Amino acid sequence: MLNKINQYKNYLTVVTGALIVLSFFLGQAVWKDAFLIAATVIAGIPIFIKAFQALRMKSFSIELLVTIAVIGALIIGEYVESAVVTFLFLFGGYLEARTLAKTRSSLKKLMELAPQEATVIRDGRQAAVPVEEVEAGDRVIIRSGGKVPVDGKIAAGEASFIEAAITGESKPSFKGEQSSVFSGTILDSGYVEVIAEKVGDDTTFAKIIELVEEAQESKSKTEKFLDRFAQFYTPGVVVLALLVYVITVNLHLAITFLVVACPGALVIGAPVSNVAGIGNGARKGVLIKGGEAVESLAGIDTLVFDKTGTLTKGKPEVTEIKTFLQYSGEELLTLSAQAETISEHHLGKAIVREAENTGLPRAEKVQGEIIKGKGIKAQVNGKEIILGNRSLLQTAGIPVTDAAEAHAEKQERAGNTAIFAVINSEIAGIISIADQIRKEAPEALAALRENGIRRIIMLTGDNRHSAVLVAEQLKIEEVHAELLPQDKVKFIHELQAQGHKVAMAGDGINDAPAIAAADIGLAMGEGGTEISMETADVVLMADKLMQLSHAYSLAKATSRNMKQNTYFAVGTVVILLTGVLMGGIHLASGMFIHEASVLLVILNAMRLIKFAEKKQKKHPQLLPEPA
Amino acid sequence: MKKAVYQLEALTCPSCIQKIEKSLRKTKGVDTVKVLFHSSKVRVQFEEEAIEAEEIESNISRLGYPVLSTKVS
């Protein structure tokens, strides 16, 4: 019964509105009053029920205040007021629910990406099952346009995936056998069979949703203050209303005071800003963990970066291949990569990766040996290959030509590691490898400076030489190299002691202590590893530094929005209360202004959903982008 | 110990949080209650020997918040 009434609340609102309008066309006072009383009772029932339910739980609700006010208005014969107030209360509630749903829409959109069904192979047959029934180890089939229902590894096939749900990146990324795929991503084109590793609530996507949900609940300092404020405010208003009655002996005025003073906009203003802001970030691949993180991120003035993995890609890559003999760069890379397949060294792996990325053929079986700290020797297609540093060449008795030495030195000065490639006892080429700076790093740092970060500092455990090289390219003035994790923590504590608000951005694991020590910790999510998602206050899901700049301006906008809402709400209450006491505002008009103010703060927060950083001016591109 | 998540109709007043949390906390067998205001969900940890998920669901409904879906794990 009670639920029924609740369900038909919207119809009751419409009926009430119609009755009030009709009553104005009735001449006879008796009929007019009858219509208005009917309207009051109809709209009053759901309000009264809510008030009663709350009272039973010994909690004090706005519905209770309205119920008291309406009964009071009925007693003193103000039927227009009682009808309009109940109507406005229901109608306002309806509009609030509608607009609130909009501010929450970001998360909802994210959740809609959650897959419902999966096609699995069971007993040699394909079967469509609800996603809850998929178990780890199942072989799942995904076709073009299908949603990936589990986290797992591709066992067969290849395809491009849109991973926006996980990384915020809208460009499809291509994946082949043995690559990991994530639940919530969409297969753009291709066909794959995936062995499920994580299902249901254990998937990265489910964890992200849970984190965002929790982030939206966790309260900022302003919100906590407002909550405490409301706790004292509501009973305070009741006492004040009593005082007003005792002093003026005017029941009508006291009741009006009671209703108008309800802290609606005050209570909802700050949370809606946060929800909209955090939702906006989540959709763009920035996880901000809660209102408190938003506020501290907005307040920072110093940004500390770790170098490896944060400003640079953290993965060495082949930057150049120089050849001296008859072999082409491609031939040299093919042979080197085939030889390096026996290597476990990260530089060797970089060469193998480069060959794979360019689609060069793999070797069947390679014979060779690893010389620790120097390089490798191997036989490929009947050729004797040596790959390594100068000391390996020396022990192998291979002379370094002047041209090779000059080139190696030049590459090393530019921050590369030079690897000599020897084919049949002659230096055939030099492969340069470096941990490259992220392509978007200069632009992202410029945007951050423009948005008000005054000081950018780079800390690294790496040697001074390569640290300075990276800093110069990124125009970072302050660099501290050769630091241990505890040194980084000490450095951040020193900055804080000087009164700075410090953010620390790192790649999650080795920087964890510094990330924890900073006022706000930022982590590169790298497709969402659990450790980094848990340690930091802000996670950049796609490892894109531009997201950091978006996160910072978003946090600032959100905290600004929250302040606007709070000031507006407090201002409205002050004006309303003064108006009531001066006699300029009556119950119905007060209710109207009150409801309108609640809607306004929600509408203000809605602007954050669409918040996008001002587009950077594109620098004219002189050179065509390499294909 | 089991965990249940109840999806409610959109919550609009922050005072609903207290109402639901207070009342469920007093229910026997219920260990922890958390109302997620913005996603309109109630997360409950409870002792499956003392109370069933359906019972908690009907308690929430009786408070005036219809439950749309339930997930027990």
Side-chain angles (χ1 to χ4, degrees):
Chain A
M1 174 64 189
L2 295 188
N3 287 341
K4 274 264 161 56
I5 289 173
N6 200 26
Q7 244 171 5
Y8 293 111
K9 208 163 66 185
N10 294 345
Y11 297 110
L12 295 182
T13 314
V14 175
V15 172
T16 316
L19 282 173
I20 293 172
V21 172
L22 277 176
S23 74
F24 287 118
F25 296 104
L26 293 168
Q28 268 183 308
V30 183
W31 279 107
K32 201 174 186 153
D33 287 351
F35 267 62
L36 286 172
I37 291 171
T40 309
V41 172
I42 292 171
I45 288 171
I47 303 172
F48 174 73
I49 291 172
K50 282 263 175 192
F52 178 70
Q53 281 170 331
L55 202 60
R56 213 172 39 184
M57 296 303 148
K58 294 193 191 78
S59 71
F60 199 80
S61 64
I62 178 163
E63 285 89 356
L64 186 66
L65 285 185
V66 174
T67 308
I68 295 171
V70 166
I71 293 172
L74 284 176
I75 290 171
I76 56 178
E78 290 278 1
Y79 303 128
V80 178
E81 297 237 314
S82 67
V84 171
V85 164
T86 47
F87 169 72
L88 278 178
F89 188 78
L90 282 191
F91 188 58
Y94 165 76
L95 286 180
E96 277 158 34
R98 286 288 301 269
T99 45
L100 259 181
K102 278 258 161 62
T103 63
R104 294 166 175 165
S105 65
S106 302
L107 183 61
K108 219 173 147 211
K109 266 187 212 147
L110 208 62
M111 286 209 286
E112 274 162 10
L113 292 171
Q116 305 293 326
E117 223 177 40
T119 310
V120 295
I121 300 182
R122 285 203 180 136
D123 309 322
R125 251 192 264 159
Q126 292 188 14
V129 298
V131 73
E132 291 83 23
E133 285 173 24
V134 183
E135 281 164 28
D138 272 343
R139 199 177 176 97
V140 182
I141 291 176
I142 310 147
R143 299 189 173 82
S144 284
K147 284 174 184 166
V148 180
V150 295
D151 284 5
K153 275 215 166 66
I154 298 179
E158 48 186 30
S160 58
F161 294 86
I162 297 171
E163 301 194 295
I166 306 284
T167 63
E169 174 65 54
S170 52
K171 264 185 258 151
S173 67
F174 187 81
K175 293 188 171 187
E177 257 171 59
Q178 288 307 308
S179 302
S180 296
V181 296
F182 298 100
S183 168
T185 60
I186 296 165
L187 195 149
D188 190 39
S189 67
Y191 170 93
V192 291
E193 290 175 15
V194 171
I195 302 293
E197 284 171 350
K198 285 177 182 169
V199 296
D201 287 346
D202 297 328
T203 62
T204 303
F205 183 66
K207 290 236 165 77
I208 291 176
I209 296 275
E210 204 176 308
L211 274 173
V212 176
E213 272 179 5
E214 263 174 19
Q216 293 190 328
E217 299 303 326
S218 94
K219 287 180 174 156
S220 64
K221 280 186 204 119
T222 317
E223 279 177 83
K224 281 185 195 143
F225 171 75
L226 286 177
D227 274 4
R228 267 206 309 278
F229 178 72
Q231 253 173 31
F232 294 105
Y233 178 82
T234 318
V237 165
V238 178
V239 174
L240 268 176
L242 277 175
L243 265 177
V244 169
Y245 177 66
V246 170
I247 294 167
T248 62
V249 204
N250 183 341
L251 184 64
H252 188 212
L253 186 67
I255 287 170
T256 311
F257 188 90
L258 202 57
V259 171
V260 163
C262 285
L266 209 55
V267 171
I268 207 141
V272 286
S273 301
N274 269 333
V275 168
I278 291 168
N280 174 311
R283 256 189 336 181
K284 298 202 167 122
V286 183
L287 265 181
I288 306 176
K289 293 195 195 161
E292 199 149 349
V294 171
E295 263 176 51
S296 5
L297 181 57
I300 59 160
D301 56 12
T302 305
L303 184 48
V304 180
F305 278 104
D306 164 58
K307 180 179 80 78
T308 315
T310 309
L311 291 172
T312 67
K313 289 179 182 166
K315 245 192 213 167
E317 278 178 26
V318 173
T319 52
E320 198 220 36
I321 299 168
K322 171 86 176 167
T323 58
F324 297 113
L325 300 179
Q326 73 274 27
Y327 303 100
S328 73
E330 207 161 89
E331 282 168 324
L332 190 72
L333 179 61
T334 311
L335 288 169
S336 306
Q338 287 174 342
E340 290 284 5
T341 46
I342 61 166
S343 165
E344 283 299 314
H345 195 267
H346 66 278
L347 291 176
K349 283 185 173 167
I351 294 176
V352 175
R353 227 176 8 244
E354 177 72 13
E356 277 172 6
N357 289 346
T358 24
L360 298 175
R362 278 196 201 193
E364 292 292 304
K365 238 186 205 162
V366 176
Q367 297 286 323
E369 59 170 324
I370 299 166
I371 301 123
K372 246 199 159 150
K374 291 180 179 176
I376 57 155
K377 284 182 184 176
Q379 291 83 41
V380 182
N381 296 341
K383 292 189 177 74
E384 186 76 28
I385 311 280
I386 298 175
L387 285 162
N389 55 15
R390 287 186 186 81
S391 97
L392 179 63
L393 265 58
Q394 212 166 31
T395 44
I398 291 156
V400 179
T401 58
D402 286 346
E405 182 55 41
H407 186 76
E409 262 178 39
K410 190 185 112 205
Q411 288 300 92
E412 279 164 349
R413 267 200 306 273
N416 291 289
T417 307
I419 295 172
F420 294 88
V422 178
I423 301 175
N424 295 336
S425 303
E426 263 187 294
I427 294 181
I430 288 173
I431 299 176
S432 303
I433 294 177
D435 182 8
Q436 285 179 311
I437 292 176
R438 288 176 190 275
K439 234 196 324 201
E440 75 281 9
E443 200 189 336
L445 292 195
L448 282 165
R449 284 200 182 93
E450 210 170 283
N451 286 329
I453 300 279
R454 259 176 267 144
R455 203 165 157 199
I456 295 180
I457 301 168
M458 187 175 91
L459 302 182
T460 180
D462 208 348
N463 66 67
R464 178 160 304 282
H465 181 66
S466 49
V468 169
L469 263 170
V470 171
E472 271 172 9
Q473 288 180 61
L474 291 173
K475 301 191 186 72
I476 298 175
E477 296 88 24
E478 219 180 321
V479 187
H480 301 268
E482 286 156 46
L483 297 178
L484 297 169
Q486 58 265 39
D487 298 331
K488 293 185 186 174
V489 174
K490 218 175 110 201
F491 187 82
I492 282 172
H493 281 318
E494 276 165 20
L495 282 173
Q496 285 168 328
Q498 291 161 23
H500 291 289
K501 293 267 172 263
V502 188
M504 166 81 202
D507 57 349
I509 300 150
N510 58 337
D511 298 311
I515 285 175
D519 292 290
I520 189 136
L522 302 139
M524 310 301 271
E526 217 148 317
T529 55
E530 274 169 56
I531 308 158
S532 60
M533 293 209 310
E534 273 160 30
T535 38
D537 307 295
V538 179
V539 183
L540 309 179
M541 301 305 294
D543 285 17
K544 287 264 157 60
L545 282 172
M546 275 321 279
Q547 290 179 331
L548 174 53
S549 147
H550 176 74
Y552 178 60
S553 24
L554 180 68
K556 272 183 137 180
T558 306
S559 126
R560 221 169 24 237
N561 198 286
M562 197 152 64
K563 280 196 192 108
Q564 289 161 358
N565 277 355
T566 310
Y567 290 139
F568 176 74
V570 173
T572 312
V573 169
V574 170
I575 290 170
L576 274 176
L577 289 188
T578 335
V580 170
L581 292 180
M582 308 291 281
I585 292 174
H586 296 286
L587 190 54
S589 53
M591 191 65 163
F592 177 77
I593 297 172
H594 176 88
E595 293 291 343
S597 74
V598 173
L599 277 179
L600 271 173
V601 296
I602 300 179
L603 286 173
N604 187 37
M606 272 165 73
R607 296 187 302 136
L608 287 173
I609 301 172
K610 295 239 164 74
F611 176 82
E613 221 185 326
K614 272 176 280 160
K615 277 266 175 284
Q616 297 278 309
K617 265 182 256 157
K618 280 262 184 278
H619 299 292
Q621 206 100 40
L622 294 173
L623 294 166
E625 284 267 317
Chain B
M1 183 76 72
K2 276 191 156 186
K3 193 178 121 186
V5 181
Y6 303 93
Q7 177 72 56
L8 312 180
E9 282 177 1
L11 296 174
T12 49
C13 58
S15 65
C16 312
I17 302 174
Q18 285 179 5
K19 222 177 0 173
I20 300 172
E21 284 188 352
K22 244 195 221 164
S23 128
L24 284 191
R25 241 174 238 138
K26 276 183 275 176
T27 312
K28 214 180 152 217
V30 172
D31 220 62
T32 59
V33 186
K34 190 165 175 137
V35 175
L36 305 175
F37 175 59
H38 297 296
S39 38
S40 310
K41 281 183 187 169
V42 186
R43 260 196 228 150
V44 183
Q45 282 196 319
F46 62 97
E47 305 287 345
E48 63 263 48
E49 300 91 26
I51 193 166
E52 278 181 49
E54 290 78 26
E55 215 173 318
I56 300 173
E57 181 179 330
S58 78
N59 273 356
I60 300 173
S61 298
R62 263 194 296 149
L63 277 171
Y65 304 97
V67 176
L68 300 179
S69 68
T70 310
K71 203 168 164 187
V72 186
S73 57

